[in-house]
Structure formats: C-alpha cells, structure tokens
Amino acid sequence: MSNSTEQHYTPGPERRGFLKRFAAGVIGAVVGIVPLLSGLVVLLDPLRRKSAAGEFTYVAPLGAIPEDGTPRKFTILASRTDAWNKAPQTPVGAIYLRRTGPKTVSALNVVCPHAGCFVEFQGANKSYYCPCHRSAFALDGAIASASPAKRGLDALEVEIRKDNEVWVKFQNFLAGTSDKIPT
Ligand code: FES
C-alpha cells in the first residue's frame, strides 16, 4: 500500500550543476591517470633500464671481416640483467662492419634512421638500401640525396683489442630526426 504523503526528492538546478562538475572531474582524473601509469610502468621496468646499450661489446675476430672492404653483417649479443635475473646473451641488434685499413674497422647500425626498418647492403652498387621507403646510403653511411631519411646511417664506435678482437659500442638512435639522439 502506498503512502499518499510520500514525496520524491528532485535536485534543484544548483545541485544538478554541482553533480555534473563532480562527474566531469572524476572522468578527467581517470583519463589523466592512464598515461601517467603507463609512463611509470616503462620507467620502472628494470629490463628496460639495464641493458647493454652504450657499452662496448665483443663482436668478432678481425679476420671475420673481408679484407677487400666489403661490409659484413653481425648480430649484436648482450646479456640483460635486472634486479632479479641475469638473462643469457640474446640478440639486441645488428651492425655492418667494414675494413677501412688492415687494422681499422668502421661500424654502422643496420637500422634505417628514417623510420626504423633494416637496411641491406647491395654489393652491385656498393651501397646500402632501405626497402621500406627507398632510402639509399653510401658505403660510409652517408645519405644519398633523394632519400627520405634525414641523416646517414648511424656510425658506432669501434675498438680493436688484443690486436684481433673487434669491439663495438652498440647503441640505437631515434628515427626520423636529423640529429643522432641515443635512445
Ligand atoms: S624506414 Fe628506411 S626509408 Fe623509411
């Protein structure tokens, strides 16, 4: 049985305005916190913080690089460590090594600086070519004029140790920029 004296509360205009503003504030806070949390996950990921990037890594004996100056591709292996684990050596990138003298070697990262595809060495033209958007690079990594890439291939530091060991300071760099910015 219903009570005829029962009354339903209807919020006034001021109360409705407050509720709308409150709801908008809550939605705004939720939308804002998602990218913040994503950033924190990346920042705190120990595997991302501790890799071999930027350290000298042994790549190959000098004898493995052709003496005629033809570049040869090598995989870069590195062990990754974090607060809990030390992973065995895993591939972290690749480079082209080329003899520039009997005891000197140059190294280029295989990643195209335009948008990150892998370049290929073409023996017929003695140049590097990117199949994604047709950037071309000279033997020393210099960019060909008609290429969409804004800089040449990224050269890496090389050290010859013990007269026969080729060590490279492996690094990746930001794609799409004219400056070489380590990532
Ligand atoms: S990624 Fe190499 S040309 Fe675009």
Side-chain angles (χ1 to χ4, degrees):
M1 193 170 164
S2 69
N3 184 352
S4 59
T5 59
E6 188 177 317
Q7 289 187 346
H8 292 284
Y9 171 71
T10 307
E14 263 183 40
R15 174 86 174 149
R16 281 198 299 271
F18 168 77
L19 288 173
K20 276 185 190 169
R21 285 195 300 278
F22 180 74
V26 169
I27 291 168
V30 169
V31 167
I33 209 162
V34 169
L36 184 69
L37 287 176
S38 306
L40 275 177
V41 167
V42 169
L43 189 69
L44 297 177
D45 179 354
L47 278 177
R48 286 177 190 267
R49 282 183 291 141
K50 289 194 175 184
S51 72
E55 294 171 11
F56 274 93
T57 305
Y58 171 71
V59 180
L62 190 58
I65 307 166
E67 288 181 8
D68 64 359
T70 302
R72 186 171 165 202
K73 193 172 173 181
F74 292 89
T75 300
I76 297 293
L77 299 172
S79 52
R80 290 171 179 262
T81 56
D82 60 35
W84 309 280
N85 302 300
K86 180 168 175 134
Q89 296 241 305
T90 50
V92 294
I95 58 172
Y96 277 104
L97 291 180
R98 180 175 65 92
R99 289 231 200 193
T100 51
K103 293 277 181 191
T104 54
V105 170
S106 75
L108 295 171
N109 197 320
V110 301
V111 175
C112 177
H114 177 232
C117 293
F118 286 2
V119 299
E120 299 160 1
F121 177 69
Q122 296 188 320
N125 333 326
K126 293 199 169 172
S127 62
Y128 300 94
Y129 175 74
C130 180
C132 290
H133 312 102
R134 301 182 182 175
S135 279
F137 306 89
L139 204 53
D140 64 356
I143 188 168
S145 55
S147 298
K150 293 181 178 167
R151 65 174 191 268
L153 293 176
D154 296 315
L156 302 167
E157 285 180 52
V158 180
E159 280 184 6
I160 308 295
R161 297 183 184 174
K162 299 180 187 166
D163 231 27
N164 184 43
E165 295 180 354
V166 181
W167 290 68
V168 173
K169 189 176 179 182
F170 180 73
Q171 271 186 304
N172 285 310
F173 299 88
L174 205 60
T177 60
S178 50
D179 292 330
K180 211 171 143 186
I181 302 165
T183 58

